[in-house]
Amino acid sequence: MAVTTCLTWMQEKILQNHFGGKFNLLYKASVHKFSLEHLLQKYEFGIDLTGRKLHISANTSKELGLLQCESISFEECEVFQCEDILNKRKMEEVTELRESLWSSMRTYKPYGDLVHQIRILLLGPIGAGKSSFVNSVKSVFQGRVVHQALVGSDTTGISQKYRTYSIKDEKDGNSLPFILCDSLGLGEGEEGLCMDDVPQILKGHVSDRYQFNPMKPITPGHDNYVDSPLLKDRIHCAAFVFNVNCIEYLSDEMVAKIRRVRRKLIECGLVHLVLLTHVDSMDLITKDDLIDIYRCPPVKSQLEAVHKALGFPLSDILLVSNYTSEWELDPLKDKLILFALRHMLWAADDFLEDLPLEETREMLLAV
């Protein structure tokens, strides 16, 4: 039977941040018996395991901010080894997984070869990190930090045009089999993406560099309006992008807009996911937590909050840490970005597989 600590995740995390390493439980008195002698003698305090007493000097007690007493009773005693979480072995495992995901993205082919490139639409509140995700994906495959998509602030955003970004493979310069489509963010009131533009984008009627007008949707006759879009022009998967730290601050109006957009996606038969950004900026979350971020209690709480507030299944909520201020690539960030991208491509395959036969026949004839 595994021996577990009495510390909560929060307590252990505070200690880990203080000492700068991961705790491995070596000894637990209630399991290994209260019988070891001279277990710990440091900083002028000693432990009497048999009597379950901690003897501490006046100076040490004062230094630690404890009450002035000679001994303190305790119910449990645990001993930990503190080691570097991001040791060589761990980083080798992360790098190996990163390379495996990277290779699978390079060799990916859309379901049934119905299209040459999957189109993934990024939606969400202004400043949530949509354009930063585009840059992050391009960075992973270019082998350097890229800033092609303009990035704004958390409150104003900067994307005013509909942009479609092909991703180049650094090894051969060829375009990879997916395109990221960046849209104007959802805003409060009359700000942000016009709701009537959404179905036009989904159906492929909007071309690259269309200038959004929050007050007026695109209509036939516009220079950027595609009259007869093919399957390759349509959106094959959508992802709602949210700042993980802002879920609880979404207004009722914003939640209503998100639900309206979801209904439009469902009407088009599109599988849609959630992308939570800024996960590395959550309280007490450190770089080493990115190794197994989905298991961290505060992160799991945010996943539940998204599920409760917006109705997305937990299995459809993905976590990323975008490149925003870094100068070099990080295997831990790459792993999360590639993991999320893989799920988006799988969702697109589900959409293509579920298409009516007449639509797939039309596409094959067009090719």
Side-chain angles (χ1 to χ4, degrees):
M1 182 177 179
V3 180
T4 58
T5 178
C6 292
L7 296 175
T8 65
W9 183 91
M10 187 72 70
Q11 292 169 335
E12 188 172 357
K13 192 63 185 176
I14 292 173
L15 289 172
Q16 287 179 359
N17 289 348
H18 177 75
F19 289 103
K22 179 182 179 181
F23 282 6
N24 290 324
L25 183 60
L26 300 179
Y27 172 83
K28 188 181 181 76
S30 60
V31 174
H32 301 108
K33 308 301 181 183
F34 289 87
S35 60
L36 294 181
E37 295 181 359
H38 309 298
L39 177 64
L40 180 63
Q41 291 182 350
K42 193 174 183 181
Y43 299 120
E44 299 180 37
F45 68 82
I47 294 179
D48 176 7
L49 290 176
T50 303
R52 302 191 184 187
K53 294 280 187 179
L54 174 67
H55 303 287
I56 188 168
S57 71
N59 289 336
T60 302
S61 180
K62 182 178 180 181
E63 181 180 347
L64 296 176
L66 302 175
L67 296 175
Q68 297 293 323
C69 56
E70 294 182 356
S71 63
I72 301 174
S73 299
F74 61 86
E75 296 296 325
E76 182 62 274
C77 176
E78 297 181 346
V79 178
F80 297 87
Q81 177 187 28
C82 185
E83 64 177 20
D84 183 11
I85 296 179
L86 299 178
N87 55 41
K88 183 178 180 181
R89 181 179 60 82
K90 287 285 186 181
M91 287 308 299
E92 287 177 349
E93 292 176 356
V94 170
T95 301
E96 183 178 347
L97 177 56
R98 184 255 185 213
E99 292 302 314
S100 175
L101 289 168
W102 189 79
S103 297
S104 67
M105 296 297 98
R106 293 183 69 241
T107 58
Y108 164 80
K109 289 186 178 181
Y111 174 83
D113 288 330
L114 295 178
V115 294
H116 297 301
Q117 290 179 298
I118 292 297
R119 285 180 176 258
I120 302 170
L121 176 62
L122 302 178
L123 298 160
I126 293 172
K130 298 181 294 297
S131 299
S132 292
F133 181 70
V134 172
N135 287 331
S136 297
V137 172
K138 293 180 76 71
S139 297
V140 172
F141 290 100
Q142 284 294 304
R144 62 179 178 84
V145 178
V146 174
H147 299 289
Q148 182 180 1
L150 298 179
V151 178
S153 68
D154 290 339
T155 56
T156 61
I158 201 169
S159 300
Q160 299 295 321
K161 292 183 177 181
Y162 179 65
R163 292 304 319 273
T164 58
Y165 294 97
S166 291
I167 313 299
K168 299 286 187 180
D169 186 343
E170 68 164 325
K171 290 195 172 182
D172 55 22
N174 294 328
S175 293
L176 292 164
F178 50 86
I179 295 173
L180 297 179
C181 304
D182 194 10
S183 64
L184 179 63
L186 300 175
E188 301 288 347
E190 297 179 345
E191 295 182 352
L193 183 65
C194 176
M195 289 293 98
D196 290 334
D197 271 333
V198 175
Q200 304 285 22
I201 295 172
L202 299 180
K203 296 174 182 178
H205 288 295
V206 182
S207 65
D208 186 32
R209 299 183 186 275
Y210 165 65
Q211 180 72 46
F212 286 107
N213 183 344
M215 305 298 295
K216 181 181 178 181
I218 192 171
T219 55
H222 192 285
D223 290 344
N224 291 99
Y225 188 87
V226 179
D227 291 315
S228 302
L230 299 174
L231 182 58
K232 68 179 182 64
D233 303 309
R234 293 171 57 179
I235 297 300
H236 310 116
C237 170
F240 285 92
V241 183
F242 301 107
N243 183 330
V244 69
N245 300 299
C246 298
I247 298 300
E248 60 185 303
Y249 303 112
L250 292 176
S251 67
D252 291 340
E253 180 183 3
M254 180 60 68
V255 171
K257 278 191 175 182
I258 293 166
R259 287 176 176 167
R260 284 179 60 192
V261 175
R262 284 196 72 192
R263 285 196 292 271
K264 295 180 185 295
L265 294 172
I266 292 171
E267 289 172 4
C268 291
L270 276 173
V271 179
H272 45 286
L273 307 172
V274 171
L275 207 59
L276 296 183
T277 64
H278 299 85
V279 67
D280 54 333
S281 67
M282 293 180 66
D283 288 343
L284 292 178
I285 296 296
T286 55
K287 181 179 178 180
D288 50 78
D289 289 311
L290 299 183
I291 292 178
D292 201 6
I293 192 66
Y294 287 87
R295 293 184 180 273
C296 293
V299 172
K300 293 171 71 174
S301 296
Q302 287 301 88
L303 297 181
E304 289 287 352
V306 174
H307 169 66
K308 183 177 180 179
L310 302 173
F312 292 98
L314 290 173
S315 58
D316 290 343
I317 306 174
L318 304 165
L319 303 164
V320 295
S321 174
N322 287 332
Y323 286 107
T324 54
S325 60
E326 296 81 4
W327 295 100
E328 296 182 354
L329 298 183
D330 182 340
L332 289 170
K333 287 178 176 279
D334 289 357
K335 183 195 73 169
L336 292 180
I337 293 166
L338 290 168
F339 182 80
L341 182 61
R342 182 178 65 175
H343 278 264
M344 293 177 188
L345 297 179
W346 285 347
D349 282 343
D350 291 340
F351 166 74
L352 293 174
E353 184 179 6
D354 198 44
L355 282 174
L357 182 60
E358 58 270 19
E359 290 191 39
T360 59
R361 184 183 296 114
E362 173 189 330
M363 179 55 199
L364 292 174
L365 291 174
V367 173

